[in-house]
Amino acid sequence: MSMLSISDLRGGVADTDILHGINLNVDAGEVHAIMGPNGAGKSTLSAVLMGRPGYYVSGGTVTLDGADILAMPTWQRAAAGLHLVMQYPSEVPGVSIQSVLIEALQRRGRDDDDVDALLATEAERIGFAPAFLARSLNVDMSGGEKKRNETLQLAVLQPKVAILDELDSGLDIDALRDCSRRVEALSDEGMGVVAITHYSRLLEELRPDHIHILVKGCIVASGGPELADVLERDGYGAFTGVDAADEGTSADDASSSLDDLFRM
Amino acid sequence: MLDLKSLPLPTADEEIWRYSRIDLLQPERFTPSPVRTDVVDPHGVCSTTATSSAVASPDVFAALNAESMSELRVDVPAGTTLEAPIIITHYIDAGTATLPRTIVEMGRDAEATIVEQFVSVESGVALCVPVLSARLDDAARLRYLAVNDLDTEAWQIGHQLAEQGRDTSLLLSTVTLGGYYTRARTEARALGSGSQTRQVALYFAAGEQMHDFRVIQSHEAPHTSSDLLFKGAVQDHARSVYTGLISIDETARQTSAHQTNRNLTLSEGAWAESVPNLDIRTNDVSCSHASTVGPIDAEQRFYLESRGVPPEVAERLVVLGFFDEVIDRLPRVDIVDAVRRRVVERLNIATEEVRP
């Protein structure tokens, strides 16, 4: 049995169905990349898995080490070992990273005595300026600093499975490398990774074992790292298959009509 | 003897008492009593006198207070800096009507910190009508904090008036946790050029409580500045009102005035109103006002929950973070730590109520 098992997951946001049956199995230490064009449902997948308000599940199951994740409120999913690194981390004025991590560690039954030391070590490891540790969560931080902050929390909490929602957005090349290396090290220690991304740039750093192509709420192709090369060469057009062929789209104008396909 | 029965009460039809609970006030329920007051006065600057200093009375309650049989005076001599804070504590007995009256005279270039607390001795109805008058001679510096920790059945209708001379610095702050209906009219008058005023309040109403603020930043001299930050939360069926006015008269050119009022509504049945106003009669000024009323930001809550923090704890962290911005601006006195603990307690009580 896989650590994280997603089976025929359907759902959406507001009253719009976006996910049309997602299947994905993630084992300990595996790195899976989910790639797709804008509007494919990438962020919806991460939102549904974590239980973001406003999103709904209309079918399917998600288990983490056999436990029914969808039956749990968000905080229990996190305490059970599922972690979401957010694309746009919220600013929370007046709330320190220490106070949140102390609460978070307690809920996991873990020791919270040395949070400060742990944070200092991890901050240095990913090049997060120690001065930011004294700030309110994400307040007055650049996009890159917020992502380092997200990675820092990931490293302290050490979940079973991490979902990285567009970790690479807003990151300069140095920050991307620092954050990716930390994620890689965690995965070497057994953390499963689901990296959701639009671009292949993250993959050069993260080197996933499996790549899945998400189009219009379905995984249309899965494979090894070689899929990234196909993407790089042909774009997402290579994976729209039957739909595009049925419409008689020629290779020449594929990009413009694919735009239409991807637009939700 | 005070005659509360014939007090000509205003009504909520009057604009200045709009939203208030004035129509529910029954003065005849209360027995006029002298207030019991403790003063920690390490520098020996306080005295109690039978005379009543003249203070402008904007309403019937301030006028009633002027009939008080005694007043507490704090006279800080010119050029004197008081290192230790003066702590004034009024003990309010159930069933009483009291008129605490505090007159602060800050001499030229004097500096002091004054805390005035209102505490109920026991639970039950009471009416407390305090007046604070603070006058700052040129270059004086005063940090003042009023803490209302009265019982949730008590009424408080208070008036604070500060008048500032040239180059003075005033922190006029309020923490309101208590009272069934707590009304504070606060007026800071910048009468001398170069004066600086900071007005800060933290209020947190629960159950059936109501906190009602009328605040005036009055600029009557050039080159004056004022900055106001009022932050409140309401939960259960509590209510709060903030009505603020920045008033800048013709002479007050090169003035800067800012008012910010933020309110968290923590329960469906809670209600908060925020009404900032500007009355600017000269050019060449810098003014701003901002006000918000709403529940805890859903994104902030989700962010904390996604780290494994349960909803009630996430809420507590966000509300405390919200209030910490105000707490950081209060005078640095030990009582402020107790205020923060009281806020935490109140949140704990609320979250336990919603647990299944």
Side-chain angles (χ1 to χ4, degrees):
Chain A
M1 186 181 65
S2 299
M3 195 159 60
L4 177 69
S5 182
I6 302 173
S7 175
D8 196 29
L9 180 64
R10 296 159 185 275
V13 63
D15 52 3
T16 307
D17 294 333
I18 294 173
L19 304 177
H20 303 290
I22 303 284
N23 294 288
L24 182 69
N25 291 299
V26 180
D27 268 320
E30 287 183 348
V31 177
H32 291 250
I34 295 184
M35 306 191 63
N38 286 332
K42 302 192 299 297
S43 283
T44 300
L45 177 59
S46 71
V48 163
L49 287 176
M50 212 64 212
R52 183 185 283 275
Y55 289 79
Y56 65 86
V57 172
S58 51
T61 58
V62 180
T63 57
L64 184 68
D65 277 341
D68 182 358
I69 280 291
L70 297 180
M72 302 177 188
T74 294
W75 75 272
Q76 284 179 358
R77 298 181 193 195
L82 188 64
H83 187 95
L84 173 61
V85 170
M86 294 200 188
Q87 182 176 7
Y88 304 112
S90 298
E91 299 186 6
V92 194
V95 177
S96 69
I97 185 170
Q98 291 84 358
S99 60
V100 171
L101 290 181
I102 285 169
E103 289 288 348
L105 289 171
Q106 284 175 353
R107 303 298 153 175
R108 288 161 174 78
R110 280 169 55 190
D111 191 9
D112 60 18
D113 286 348
D114 52 357
V115 162
D116 288 332
L118 202 53
L119 277 172
T121 307
E122 287 295 345
E124 189 179 358
R125 192 163 173 182
I126 59 160
F128 188 66
F132 289 131
L133 295 174
R135 286 207 191 155
S136 297
L137 268 177
N138 297 317
V139 173
D140 295 330
M141 291 188 199
S142 71
E145 287 157 354
K146 286 179 183 172
K147 293 300 176 73
R148 285 186 203 261
N149 191 8
E150 287 290 278
T151 308
L152 179 73
Q153 294 177 49
L154 178 74
V156 170
L157 294 174
Q158 306 223 337
K160 291 175 182 168
V161 174
I163 306 156
L164 315 178
D165 190 4
E166 309 269 4
L167 176 66
D168 46 343
S169 71
L171 273 192
D172 60 52
I173 193 71
D174 291 338
L176 179 61
R177 187 172 301 124
D178 292 338
C179 291
S180 300
R181 282 189 183 157
R182 192 66 192 92
V183 170
E184 262 194 320
L186 288 165
S187 111
D188 288 345
E189 293 162 25
M191 184 179 79
V193 175
V194 179
I196 293 172
T197 184
H198 187 87
Y199 304 104
S200 54
R201 168 170 104 105
L202 176 67
L203 309 187
E204 291 161 20
E205 297 291 339
L206 262 188
R207 295 194 295 276
D209 309 297
H210 306 276
I211 292 179
H212 311 274
I213 309 297
L214 183 68
V215 174
K216 296 183 87 174
C218 296
I219 289 177
V220 296
S222 294
E226 73 281 357
L227 264 186
D229 301 331
V230 179
L231 257 190
E232 194 67 16
R233 195 179 63 234
D234 302 337
Y236 287 109
F239 301 100
T240 55
V242 179
D243 282 355
D246 280 354
E247 288 164 20
T249 314
S250 73
D252 290 343
D253 59 6
S255 59
S256 61
S257 58
L258 287 173
D259 249 10
D260 296 337
L261 276 174
F262 296 146
R263 199 169 294 132
M264 297 302 294
Chain B
M1 198 61 197
L2 283 176
D3 183 9
L4 293 173
K5 289 185 190 65
S6 60
L7 199 63
L9 285 179
T11 73
D13 293 336
E14 296 168 45
E15 181 56 34
I16 197 161
W17 292 97
R18 194 175 171 200
Y19 306 119
S20 80
R21 286 180 171 166
I22 197 68
D23 292 344
L24 300 177
L25 179 62
Q26 298 170 288
E28 65 278 10
R29 292 169 74 194
F30 310 103
T31 308
S33 310
V35 64
R36 294 192 292 121
T37 301
D38 268 1
V39 181
V40 178
D41 178 21
H43 303 280
V45 295
C46 299
S47 59
T48 304
T49 70
T51 54
S52 202
S53 307
V55 176
S57 296
D59 60 35
V60 62
F61 296 99
L64 179 70
N65 179 282
E67 294 175 37
S68 179
M69 302 307 285
S70 73
E71 68 186 22
L72 177 68
R73 291 188 57 89
V74 183
D75 291 285
V76 184
T80 310
T81 295
L82 304 186
E83 300 294 343
I86 295 162
I87 313 283
I88 302 161
T89 307
H90 303 291
Y91 295 98
I92 307 300
D93 295 297
T96 61
T98 49
L99 308 172
R101 186 171 177 84
T102 302
I103 308 294
V104 177
E105 293 279 357
M106 299 292 294
R108 177 184 284 255
D109 196 31
E111 178 169 336
T113 300
I114 300 173
V115 178
E116 190 168 21
Q117 301 185 87
F118 300 87
V119 180
S120 288
V121 176
E122 65 237 312
S123 61
V125 294
L127 172 63
C128 178
V129 181
V131 162
L132 166 77
S133 165
R135 285 220 301 249
L136 284 70
D137 202 344
D138 297 350
R141 300 166 303 279
L142 172 64
R143 293 172 294 270
Y144 172 87
L145 169 64
V147 179
N148 173 324
D149 204 2
L150 292 172
D151 183 71
T152 53
E153 291 183 62
W155 289 68
Q156 185 177 56
I157 300 178
H159 176 45
Q160 300 174 338
L161 172 65
E163 293 168 312
Q164 296 181 248
R166 279 181 76 99
D167 302 321
T168 53
S169 167
L170 170 68
L171 169 60
L172 190 56
S173 56
T174 300
V175 170
T176 300
L177 300 173
Y180 166 72
Y181 175 70
T182 295
R183 162 89 163 197
R185 179 191 165 99
T186 299
E187 188 171 354
R189 298 180 65 196
L191 301 176
S193 65
S195 70
Q196 297 176 22
T197 315
R198 287 166 297 153
Q199 287 177 263
V200 172
L202 180 163
Y203 50 102
F204 191 171
E208 302 297 326
Q209 290 184 292
M210 177 167 188
H211 295 158
D212 183 356
F213 294 93
R214 293 269 160 173
V215 193
I216 303 172
Q217 299 159 263
S218 182
H219 291 265
E220 302 169 47
H223 300 283
T224 50
S225 71
S226 67
D227 187 20
L228 175 147
L229 178 67
F230 272 44
K231 286 181 121 176
V234 283
Q235 68 186 21
D236 310 322
H237 293 94
R239 299 162 70 86
S240 75
V241 178
Y242 166 88
T243 308
L245 172 64
I246 290 176
S247 165
I248 299 180
D249 78 14
E250 292 82 349
T251 63
R253 63 188 190 283
Q254 301 253 307
T255 281
S256 91
H258 306 282
Q259 65 174 326
T260 302
N261 172 233
R262 303 205 182 279
N263 298 278
L264 284 178
T265 48
L266 300 177
S267 313
E268 290 265 320
W271 179 89
E273 179 70 85
S274 178
V275 191
N277 300 281
L278 297 172
D279 180 11
I280 301 171
R281 292 164 190 264
T282 184
N283 296 319
D284 197 13
V285 297
S286 159
C287 285
S288 70
H289 62 105
S291 86
T292 52
V293 176
I296 288 178
D297 184 83
E299 286 295 322
Q300 291 179 1
R301 188 201 299 254
F302 175 67
Y303 184 75
L304 298 188
E305 288 178 25
S306 78
R307 310 290 114 143
V309 178
E312 67 274 14
V313 179
E315 180 166 306
R316 196 178 73 211
L317 289 173
V318 170
V319 175
L320 272 177
F322 171 82
F323 279 136
D324 275 342
E325 186 188 9
V326 173
I327 289 172
D328 285 346
R329 297 192 190 191
L330 297 175
R332 307 224 173 278
V333 289
D334 294 344
I335 290 157
V336 169
D337 296 334
V339 165
R340 194 169 189 278
R341 282 197 299 276
R342 296 274 286 109
V343 171
V344 173
E345 278 169 26
R346 188 159 277 199
L347 284 166
N348 284 343
I349 291 166
T351 51
E352 266 154 32
E353 279 170 3
V354 299
R355 271 182 205 139

